[in-house]
Amino acid sequence: MTQEFDLAASLAGGVEGRSGAWSFIQDFAAHWTSALKTGDGWAEADLAVAEERLGVRLPTALREAYLLFGRRRDLTSNHDVLLSPAELYVDDAKEALVFRHENQGAASWGILLDDVREDDPAVFIRADLADKTAERWEGWLERLSLCFVEIVMSESLQADGEPCDFLDPDEGSIELLEQNCVQLPFPAYPIGEEEHGNRWFLGQDVLLRDDDGLAVLARARTPEALNRMRDLIPGDWLNDYR
C-alpha cells in the first residue's frame, strides 16, 4: 500500500466502533476513489421526513452514514443498492426496517424493529424465496457501522471503469490467495460463520474478497497491480483479456 494510507491499520480501527468506521470510510474514499465532500450525504431534513413517514427514529449509525456519504453511489451502490431516505421501508411482516437491496432483488438487508432504538444495531439479511413462508431474517453483521464498512469495500470491487475482476477459483486458488496476500482484520460473516463465509485480503495495491471459496473478487488501484495478482493466482479471471 501507499505510505499515506495503511488500509489494514485503518480497517483495524474501523471495525471497533462507529467513529472508527466513518474514519476508515473517509480514508478509503480519499485513496481508492475520491475524497468525501460537502453534499455527499443526505440532509437532516431528508432523514426527518423519512422518520415521520416510517414512524420510527432511525438508528444513530444509519443517520450518521446517510449524513456523511449516503448520496455517494460509487461507495454504496455499484452493485447492490443502498436505499435513499425516501425509499426506506418496513417489511410486510413488520419485522425489520429495510435499507439495502441486492441488485436483482434476491435479498434485502435490514434492522430488526426490536433493535431500531439501538445506536448501532445488528444487521440481518433476508433472501427472496419462491416460498415466502420460508423467508427469515438471518444474522449478517453484529453492528450497522461494520456493515457500512463492508458495503464500501464490497461496492469498490465492482466499480465501473476501475481495475476489477472476478475469479472462479479451483482447489489451489484459495491456498495461493492465502500465501500471497494478508488476511484483513474483518470479523467472519455472515454471523455464525466463523469457519466459513466471507473473508477479506490485501495484496500489493489489491483488495480481495473470498466468498467461502466459491468466488474471489478483486479491485486494484492500477491495472498493473491487478495483472500481478492474476499472475500470482492463475485461473479463470473473468476480465483477463491478455
Side-chain angles (χ1 to χ4, degrees):
M1 295 307 301
T2 57
Q3 293 181 351
E4 65 268 21
F5 177 50
D6 186 332
L7 191 153
S10 182
L11 181 59
V15 302
E16 293 181 355
R18 297 198 327 267
S19 62
W22 312 147
S23 293
F24 169 80
I25 290 169
Q26 287 177 300
D27 288 342
F28 184 88
H31 293 92
W32 283 69
T33 57
S34 62
L36 295 181
K37 61 183 185 302
T38 302
D40 283 351
W42 294 97
E44 179 67 42
D46 297 315
L47 304 185
V49 169
E51 290 174 331
E52 182 175 0
R53 173 177 59 84
L54 293 165
V56 297
R57 172 78 173 178
L58 300 179
T60 299
L62 190 64
R63 300 182 106 264
E64 291 175 345
Y66 272 54
L67 290 169
L68 183 62
F69 58 90
R71 296 170 65 92
R72 281 283 298 270
R73 295 185 63 83
D74 63 314
L75 296 177
T76 64
S77 303
N78 290 321
H79 185 258
D80 301 325
V81 180
L82 179 68
L83 302 184
S84 71
E87 295 170 321
L88 295 170
Y89 67 95
V90 174
D91 70 326
D92 291 341
K94 308 298 182 185
E95 293 178 330
L97 172 66
V98 180
F99 67 91
R100 188 183 187 216
H101 284 165
E102 196 271 339
N103 74 320
Q104 294 182 329
S108 300
W109 286 264
I111 304 155
L112 299 184
L113 293 184
D114 288 345
D115 302 335
V116 78
R117 292 181 179 83
E118 298 179 12
D119 287 340
D120 202 1
V123 173
F124 291 75
I125 188 170
R126 185 190 65 198
D128 183 13
L129 305 176
D131 180 3
K132 297 303 179 184
T133 64
E135 292 185 2
R136 299 287 186 275
W137 286 103
E138 307 284 352
W140 181 247
L141 280 162
E142 62 184 12
R143 284 181 283 108
L144 182 56
S145 60
L146 196 61
C147 181
F148 273 108
V149 169
E150 197 276 344
I151 286 173
V152 168
M153 293 198 299
S154 285
E155 294 304 314
S156 77
L157 300 174
Q158 304 198 56
D160 290 339
E162 300 293 344
C164 302
D165 212 343
F166 174 95
L167 173 66
D168 182 9
D170 58 26
E171 292 182 0
S173 299
I174 302 305
E175 183 177 350
L176 288 172
L177 173 65
E178 294 170 342
Q179 290 173 355
N180 290 286
C181 301
V182 175
Q183 185 170 348
L184 289 170
F186 195 87
Y189 71 106
I191 291 173
E193 297 291 342
E194 286 76 11
E195 295 183 5
H196 303 283
N198 301 333
R199 299 183 299 165
W200 288 92
F201 290 84
L202 184 65
Q204 184 181 353
D205 281 342
V206 184
L207 178 67
L208 306 101
R209 192 185 75 208
D210 162 35
D211 292 352
D212 194 20
L214 301 176
V216 175
L217 287 81
R219 158 72 186 278
R221 296 190 67 185
T222 66
E224 295 76 16
L226 183 55
N227 281 335
R228 286 195 300 269
M229 187 56 61
R230 289 166 172 153
D231 292 338
L232 288 169
I233 311 175
D236 187 16
W237 288 95
L238 181 64
N239 299 321
D240 189 359
Y241 304 114
R242 294 177 297 166

